[in-house]
């Protein structure tokens, strides 16, 4: 059974609130109608996808020390953007999740894409970078539930330059856009500008990143 930190659970709550509010936003923007007569709703998530490598430990090592894990290492999908997209897709209720991310051309990238597809997330705009490594999160879980982690950005930090036209195409048809801070800030700025130009609501999870908000 996968365990989630408080911050991960908060991400799911944020995604749920956004998704359930999309119907009125889409109608306000004159969105197309779905088969149930309501407005079609798509949440566009721009963000990171990581292979989370989870290690259960009795305690963290001090400087220069080696400790042994209690159990075998587990590799599961993670990253704020990936978690958000899957959470929204699992909600159903007529809300579709479209995820845009940069992934490596490695086994972790394949695992992430397959997991997203299994949950019904649209990954048609995800990019597998030739020769690149997918992002990885090294998660250390202590008995009391305390979680410590180290993130290696990998492909998440290697987004290409986005033109205004490319961003306009990315956000086209979305009822709302959800951003977070595990990708370069220039990506968030460009996507947010394109969404605002099309009167699409933008929300951002400001956790993580370790840098000022621009």
């Amino acid at each position: 059974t996968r365990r989630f930190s408080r911050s991960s659970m908060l991400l799911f709550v944020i995604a749920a609130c956004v998704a359930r509010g999309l119907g009125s936003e889409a109608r306000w923007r004159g969105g197309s109608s779905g088969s149930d007569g309501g407005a079609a709703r798509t949440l566009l998530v721009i963000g990171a996808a990581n292979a989370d490598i989870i290690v259960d430990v009795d305690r963290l090592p001090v400087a220069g020390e080696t400790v042994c894990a209690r159990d075998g290492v587990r590799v599961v999908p993670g990253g704020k953007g990936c978690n958000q997209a899957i959470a929204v897709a699992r909600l159903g209720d007529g809300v579709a999740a479209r995820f845009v991310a940069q992934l490596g051309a490695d086994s972790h990238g394949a695992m992430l894409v397959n997991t997203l597809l299994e949950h019904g997330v649209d990954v048609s705009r995800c990019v597998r970078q030739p020769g690149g490594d997918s992002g990885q999160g090294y998660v250390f879980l202590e008995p009391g539930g305390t979680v410590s982690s180290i993130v290696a950005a990998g492909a998440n930090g290697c987004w290409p330059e986005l033109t205004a036209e490319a961003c306009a195409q990315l956000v086209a048809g979305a009822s709302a856009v959800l951003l977070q801070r595990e990708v370069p800030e220039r990506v968030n700025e460009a996507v947010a500008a394109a969404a605002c130009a099309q009167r699409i609501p933008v929300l951002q999870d400001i956790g993580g990143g370790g840098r000022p908000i621009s």
Side-chain angles (χ1 to χ4, degrees):
T1 301
R2 186 180 177 189
R3 302 177 185 177
F4 297 100
S5 66
R6 292 178 182 176
S7 60
S8 292
M9 293 302 296
L10 179 58
L11 295 182
F12 293 171
V13 172
I14 292 172
C17 292
V18 173
R20 294 191 183 283
L22 290 181
S24 58
E25 294 289 358
R27 286 190 289 273
W28 167 67
R29 295 193 304 105
S32 59
S33 296
S35 59
D36 62 353
R41 295 176 289 175
T42 298
L43 175 64
L44 173 64
V45 181
I46 307 287
N50 295 324
D52 279 354
I53 301 168
I54 301 178
V55 183
D56 292 284
V57 295
D58 290 322
R59 61 178 178 80
L60 296 179
V62 298
E65 181 186 22
T66 298
V67 299
C68 294
R70 293 202 312 271
D71 302 303
V73 172
R74 290 166 285 150
V75 181
V76 299
K80 293 183 186 297
C82 180
N83 288 342
Q84 291 164 351
I86 290 175
V88 171
R90 292 177 65 178
L91 284 172
D93 194 27
V95 178
R98 185 191 312 154
F99 184 44
V100 182
Q102 300 290 313
L103 306 169
D106 52 9
S107 59
H108 287 158
M111 178 271 291
L112 290 165
V113 169
N114 290 337
T115 301
L116 288 159
L117 288 172
E118 287 171 3
H119 285 89
V121 177
D122 178 355
V123 296
S124 60
R125 303 306 295 269
C126 287
V127 176
R128 301 285 299 277
Q129 297 181 358
D133 295 325
S134 297
Q136 298 179 47
Y138 300 89
V139 183
F140 304 98
L141 182 61
E142 297 178 69
T146 300
V147 177
S148 303
S149 60
I150 300 173
V151 175
N156 294 309
C158 300
W159 281 67
E161 292 298 324
L162 297 176
T163 65
E165 181 180 0
C167 288
Q169 293 176 353
L170 279 180
V171 303
S175 299
V177 176
L178 182 57
L179 307 173
Q180 42 72 36
R181 311 196 67 221
E182 291 182 334
V183 299
E185 199 72 0
R186 60 180 172 79
V187 175
N188 288 332
E189 292 172 351
V191 172
C196 289
Q198 297 185 38
R199 299 180 67 194
I200 300 172
V202 178
L203 296 92
Q204 184 178 45
D205 170 14
I206 62 173
R211 60 181 184 267
I213 299 174
S214 60

